[in-house]
Amino acid sequence: MTLTDEEKAMRDGRDGNAIACAMDLLIRYGEALGAENFVETRNVCGTVTATTPFMRDFALKQGAGASGLNAVFSEFNLDTTERVDVPKVKAFSSHLQLGFDPHHPLEMGVTEQMVQFYKKSEAMAAKMGVQMMNTCTPYQVGNVPTRGEHCAWMESSAVVYCNSVLGARTNTEGRESTSSAMLTCRIPNWGYHLDEPRLATLGIELDMPVASVEDWGLLGYWMGDWVQDRVAVISGAGLKAAVPNLPRLKHFGAAASSSGGVELFHLVGITPEANTLEQATGGRPLKEVRRYGPREREQTFERINAFGVDRDVDYVMLGCPHYTIEQIWEAAQLIEGRKVHENSALWIFTPRAIKALADRNGYTKIIEDAGGVIMTDSCSAMSRAVPPGTKVVALDSAKQAHYLPAILGVQAWFGTTVQCVDAACTGKWVSP
Ligand code: F3S
């Protein structure tokens, strides 16, 4: 890779061991990718705390205090056997979701020792200068990059939103590359940082209106399954039914990056790099165009619901990706004056900042009075936590319906938020 003088100085240790290790890691990474140089990034989303049980055990073996956390950061964030002191970040950096919600240890099945370790880990990250947003949706709580801004983000659902809806530029990074980018403001210049890979090569013609969150989840799941890691542009009369808002695009991208590896999509007339079909394709002919209509929707619905058999619902999980305040408001309206069934449970996941707003607006109280719980920082897929004895779950997220049966061996029903809240209150899943 061609390095600037500044990058050479960082590599050669001018700014200390941690930054030298970070530059070394990024150079090795860039060379493996075939990148010729770096881009400067001042917006990073990653994970620096000891999030998994494996890392927590590793840290505790190295010492419960700073030495354990330094060891985790050296080994798992900078990929070095050298033990570096955790430094301060140079880039504006946001923390993604974590392994559990420390405010609900009982529900999440974690010990007091784990909660204490979590708090130390979080304090270390905050001291580094990392914003403890603790969410898979940093774009809804203050990290909103502008069009064309080079970012280094982890988390597939956040990456696809960042690229497609915001028009910023990132590849799907990992723990090591994001931590190194936090310290150096550099990331290899390849993939979606470049113009050409951002052009659509596949087309989707909508033959039916796509309006609800459920509709967008189904379309995303169908699209990801087909396009995998390629870029598609969506057009057609169906797109004009209603301009999709944040929750719809959040669910759409998350579903597409679950059934496939979609990191970027274009919606003609809606997303920033697709004012026209020609802009989205760069004027090149599309390699293939497929139509999406009622038949494709139904087949996708059947596929996502293939793991639903029993109608008695033990657990309803909402908030994948983390719920917006609009979605919490809707859930509060749906459940106000009702009670969660004694054989069921309702957990809703959202960022901490949105939870604070829900508290002030009274939505948390409405949901808790009904017997539901609002949680932060994590989700059932990340934490592997569901209410004890759960065999059947109901979800309004195609992404969570994709992962939860595989991760926890549960049955899953996918449907609308209304269906899910009804299932929580009746203990039964009713198909439309
Ligand atoms: Fe977020 Fe968990 Fe879904 S981290 S995107 S709520 S799988």
Side-chain angles (χ1 to χ4, degrees):
M1 292 179 82
T2 306
L3 304 185
T4 62
D5 289 346
E6 173 67 14
E7 288 157 1
K8 283 181 195 157
M10 286 195 280
R11 177 201 61 190
D12 295 341
R14 181 196 65 191
D15 301 333
N17 278 1
I19 287 174
C21 288
M23 271 316 289
D24 175 63
L25 184 146
L26 288 172
I27 292 167
R28 286 186 281 134
Y29 175 47
E31 283 173 351
L33 294 166
E36 291 175 2
N37 53 17
F38 289 110
V39 282
E40 229 179 296
T41 175
R42 304 211 162 263
N43 189 320
V44 184
C45 287
T47 304
V48 300
T49 53
T51 42
T52 63
F54 175 76
M55 281 184 209
R56 287 193 292 265
D57 290 348
F58 179 87
L60 290 170
K61 276 189 201 133
Q62 311 286 321
S67 58
L69 294 168
N70 283 341
V72 168
F73 192 82
S74 305
E75 188 91 20
F76 297 106
N77 294 62
L78 298 181
D79 185 35
T80 177
T81 49
E82 193 182 330
R83 291 294 174 257
V84 300
D85 288 337
V86 177
K88 287 207 183 293
V89 296
K90 278 190 191 161
F92 175 65
S93 304
S94 307
H95 208 288
L96 293 165
Q97 67 274 12
L98 290 136
F100 61 90
D101 176 1
H103 308 104
H104 291 93
L106 282 181
E107 289 91 336
M108 294 253 137
V110 296
T111 62
E112 181 55 26
Q113 188 201 24
M114 277 165 80
V115 173
Q116 289 313 320
F117 183 76
Y118 184 106
K119 286 183 178 163
K120 270 190 205 147
S121 204
E122 186 173 339
M124 173 211 84
K127 211 166 143 200
M128 283 177 76
V130 178
Q131 310 300 316
M132 297 311 290
M133 292 177 179
N134 300 6
T135 177
C136 47
T137 59
Y139 50 85
Q140 61 160 330
V141 289
N143 189 344
V144 189
T146 47
R147 183 173 172 195
E149 185 175 349
H150 292 285
C151 302
W153 282 24
M154 276 171 74
E155 167 52 38
S156 62
S157 69
V159 165
V160 67
Y161 194 94
C162 181
N163 274 322
S164 315
V165 181
L166 303 177
R169 297 186 168 210
T170 183
N171 295 301
T172 303
E173 297 295 344
R175 182 182 175 103
E176 301 83 355
S177 59
T178 50
S179 295
S180 299
M182 286 177 189
L183 303 185
T184 61
C185 295
R186 297 293 188 282
I187 200 75
N189 187 17
W190 74 289
Y192 293 117
H193 291 288
L194 306 170
D195 292 336
E196 204 273 338
R198 298 182 70 83
L199 298 173
T201 57
L202 301 174
I204 294 168
E205 189 74 22
L206 285 189
D207 278 351
M208 61 177 295
V210 178
S212 66
V213 167
E214 183 193 33
D215 285 341
W216 281 99
L218 288 167
L219 175 61
Y221 201 79
W222 176 85
M223 178 178 82
D225 190 39
W226 172 41
V227 312
Q228 292 298 309
D229 59 356
R230 293 169 293 175
V231 180
V233 55
I234 303 176
S235 58
L239 208 51
K240 299 198 174 75
V243 174
N245 63 359
L246 192 160
R248 284 160 180 76
L249 293 174
K250 168 172 75 90
H251 280 262
F252 175 62
S257 61
S258 305
S259 56
V262 175
E263 294 172 67
L264 171 63
F265 60 80
H266 301 295
L267 305 176
V268 173
I270 295 174
T271 54
E273 292 171 41
N275 286 324
T276 61
L277 187 61
E278 192 179 24
Q279 185 193 7
T281 60
R284 300 181 307 193
L286 291 165
K287 290 189 176 142
E288 190 180 347
V289 177
R290 289 194 184 176
R291 307 188 83 82
Y292 178 87
R295 194 169 59 100
E296 287 74 19
R297 186 190 191 282
E298 194 180 325
Q299 285 170 349
T300 310
F301 184 85
E302 296 297 330
R303 205 174 141 214
I304 299 179
N305 277 297
F307 293 100
V309 179
D310 301 324
R311 299 271 164 177
D312 292 335
V313 172
D314 305 307
Y315 169 44
V316 176
M317 189 207 124
L318 305 176
C320 171
H322 281 176
Y323 252 17
T324 65
I325 191 65
E326 179 187 351
Q327 291 178 294
I328 294 183
W329 168 65
E330 283 171 1
Q333 288 180 87
L334 289 169
I335 208 162
E336 187 161 21
R338 302 167 80 186
K339 289 281 177 208
V340 173
H341 192 270
E342 59 185 355
N343 295 334
S344 194
L346 171 66
W347 294 357
I348 301 176
F349 292 88
T350 194
R352 285 185 187 188
I354 301 284
K355 163 83 165 42
L357 191 53
D359 292 350
R360 289 188 81 90
N361 289 348
Y363 307 148
T364 306
K365 180 162 187 331
I366 292 170
I367 289 163
E368 286 179 354
D369 284 352
V373 186
I374 298 187
M375 297 197 200
T376 63
D377 293 34
S378 194
C379 71
S380 286
M382 283 300 296
S383 62
R384 276 54 171 166
V386 291
T390 293
K391 293 195 184 70
V392 182
V393 300
L395 308 152
D396 66 354
S397 161
K399 172 171 179 170
Q400 196 75 195
H402 177 87
Y403 284 118
L404 223 46
I407 291 173
L408 295 177
V410 293
Q411 296 178 35
W413 293 106
F414 164 76
T416 64
T417 310
V418 173
Q419 276 177 285
C420 287
V421 172
D422 284 347
C425 295
T426 61
K428 297 274 179 209
W429 184 256
V430 180
S431 294

